[in-house]
Amino acid sequence: MKNIIYALYDKDEIILKEIKRMNFLKIKIKNIYSPFPIHGIKKYIKHLKSPFNIKIFYYGLFGFLISSLITWYSMILDWPQNIGGKPSYSFYLNLPSFIPILFEITIFCTAHFMCLTYFFKCNLYPGSFPKNPDVRTTDDKFLMEIRLYNNIINFVNLLKTNGVLEISIKI
């Protein structure tokens, strides 16, 4: 059975030292809740990767394909125009003149889809419930979430030795 332990701290230096100690003891930290980004934490928690990296690439690729399709349809197929003596029958011969609109629509799609993805990933849509286990982490406290299967009492005693404010266990 999985037990979730929440350790609450009041300073970022203390939680950073505790994270280093958990890494030394080979205890995997599930998540860190912080009111601001803690500098240097990324090198100690390697398994907390951003879920947005590959999505940004896919949204940009989608925006590029949509902008290419719209540009090809409107400027080549549907209503070809002779602008500056350029051939109106070929997309690739006109590509240099289409680069600004291709770039703009690619950035537009990437930015808007990333905002929507961020809102849904962070439960920031209407009617959602917060995932934050302690509301004090949005103000001035730091919370470390650890999932353990055994040795809970020994682990809680270990946490009490390094400046933890409060420990709560969810079974």
Side-chain angles (χ1 to χ4, degrees):
M1 184 164 67
K2 192 181 336 180
N3 299 308
I4 301 172
I5 299 173
Y6 297 112
L8 190 70
Y9 298 91
D10 61 347
K11 294 187 175 148
D12 58 338
E13 298 93 13
I14 296 174
I15 195 168
L16 198 56
K17 287 179 187 176
E18 193 67 18
I19 290 168
K20 291 177 191 176
R21 189 166 78 156
M22 293 300 135
N23 284 340
F24 180 73
L25 296 172
K26 305 279 192 252
I27 297 171
K28 188 174 179 182
I29 299 168
K30 176 66 178 152
N31 209 346
I32 300 290
Y33 297 93
S34 170
F36 56 84
I38 302 172
H39 299 289
I41 198 170
K42 197 163 195 154
K43 64 182 174 182
Y44 298 114
I45 302 181
K46 294 177 178 48
H47 68 277
L48 291 179
K49 301 240 187 285
S50 173
F52 301 124
N53 295 340
I54 194 70
K55 290 179 175 95
I56 293 171
F57 173 74
Y58 287 138
Y59 294 152
L61 184 64
F62 175 75
F64 177 75
L65 293 175
I66 290 297
S67 62
S68 299
L69 183 67
I70 289 171
T71 306
W72 168 79
Y73 179 75
S74 63
M75 297 298 289
I76 304 298
L77 184 68
D78 187 38
W79 193 8
Q81 300 174 27
N82 186 357
I83 301 172
K86 293 181 179 137
S88 59
Y89 56 84
S90 173
F91 182 77
Y92 70 91
L93 291 175
N94 285 323
L95 190 61
S97 62
F98 296 152
I99 286 177
I101 193 65
L102 296 177
F103 175 76
E104 291 295 330
I105 294 177
T106 300
I107 298 301
F108 178 84
C109 287
T110 305
H112 283 78
F113 285 130
M114 276 311 299
C115 284
L116 292 174
T117 302
Y118 179 77
F119 287 151
F120 281 103
K121 180 71 177 163
C122 296
N123 287 340
L124 295 176
Y125 49 88
S128 65
F129 296 101
K131 293 191 304 187
N132 196 351
D134 194 340
V135 295
R136 293 177 285 182
T137 59
T138 60
D139 188 25
D140 63 343
K141 301 290 186 243
F142 302 88
L143 187 80
M144 182 168 44
E145 178 182 343
I146 302 162
R147 295 191 179 174
L148 287 179
Y149 294 98
N150 53 11
N151 295 332
I152 297 168
I153 297 170
N154 294 338
F155 183 73
V156 168
N157 292 332
L158 179 73
L159 282 176
K160 288 180 182 177
T161 62
N162 199 18
V164 67
L165 291 178
E166 184 180 311
I167 298 172
S168 59
I169 301 171
K170 183 179 175 186
I171 298 175

